């Protein structure tokens, strides 16, 4: 039980510090970590629609809509014309440039992690974290419950 509590405390502390560092790095770009994640989602899958962004980021459609509206007003995202009743989204040139700048800012602010950990240690830490996430994944129900 003590290891479980230590794991939770360490994960929360790391998440808070990562979030604070990323938000601080993005402040000069007038972005938040949430806006940045929307830009990344749109870059990874162009023409994605807002509901897909919400699912990918595991946030509500209402929150996603508010974030997309902020990005639209800043001319970073453009709504496409209706396609089978759905409007896709794409990054504008402004959005692409801001995303590149955000990536650079985040990489710079997170560089102390590289200085603290050897490359092999960082890879191993990521493997261990992925293994823990995999161990906690929801188990599918048996076919007879479906």
């Amino acid at each position: 039980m003590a290891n479980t509590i230590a794991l939770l405390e360490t994960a929360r502390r790391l998440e808070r510090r990562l979030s604070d560092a990323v938000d601080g790095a993005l402040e000069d770009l007038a972005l938040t970590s949430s806006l940045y994640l929307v830009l990344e989602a749109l870059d990874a899958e162009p023409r994605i629609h807002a509901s897909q962004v919400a699912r990918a980021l595991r946030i509500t459609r209402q929150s996603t809509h508010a974030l997309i509206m902020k990005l639209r007003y800043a001319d970073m995202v453009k709504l496409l014309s209706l396609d089978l009743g759905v409007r896709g989204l794409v990054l504008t040139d402004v959005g692409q440039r801001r995303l590149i700048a955000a990536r650079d800012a985040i990489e710079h602010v997170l560089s102390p992690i590289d200085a603290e950990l050897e490359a092999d240690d960082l890879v191993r830490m990521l493997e261990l974290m992925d293994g823990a996430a995999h161990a906690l994944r929801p188990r599918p129900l048996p076919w007879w419950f479906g």
Side-chain angles (χ1 to χ4, degrees):
M1 185 66 155
N3 285 340
T4 304
I5 292 170
L7 174 64
L8 288 171
E9 289 173 350
T10 302
R12 285 184 188 154
R13 185 172 53 251
L14 178 60
E15 191 278 330
R16 274 194 309 273
R17 289 185 181 164
L18 280 171
S19 181
D20 290 347
V22 169
D23 282 337
L26 298 175
E27 190 174 28
D28 289 343
L29 297 170
L31 290 174
T32 63
S33 54
S34 297
L35 292 169
Y36 167 74
L37 290 172
V38 172
L39 292 175
E40 283 288 4
L42 294 174
D43 187 55
E45 190 173 337
R47 306 182 67 82
I48 191 173
H49 59 81
S51 293
Q52 290 172 303
V53 173
R55 280 192 295 276
L57 299 180
R58 300 179 61 115
I59 59 177
T60 65
R61 288 183 316 197
Q62 295 84 351
S63 296
T64 304
H65 177 74
L67 293 169
I68 288 170
M69 292 306 293
K70 287 179 183 181
L71 293 170
R72 282 186 63 209
Y73 289 136
D75 193 33
M76 288 187 260
V77 171
K78 180 173 75 171
L79 270 176
L80 300 173
S81 58
L82 280 174
D83 182 20
L84 299 174
V86 177
R87 288 185 183 267
L89 299 159
V90 293
L91 294 178
T92 63
D93 290 340
V94 172
Q96 284 285 350
R97 288 193 303 272
R98 191 74 60 90
L99 178 58
I100 291 167
R103 287 173 179 159
D104 290 343
I106 290 169
E107 184 177 331
H108 176 74
V109 79
L110 296 182
S111 62
I113 293 173
D114 290 335
E116 183 70 25
L117 298 173
E118 298 290 328
D120 292 344
D121 292 336
L122 186 56
V123 168
R124 180 70 180 136
M125 184 175 84
L126 292 171
E127 289 171 350
L128 290 170
M129 290 170 67
D130 280 342
H134 182 73
L136 295 173
R137 76 191 180 288
R139 304 284 187 222
L141 293 173
W143 62 269
W144 58 84
F145 281 122

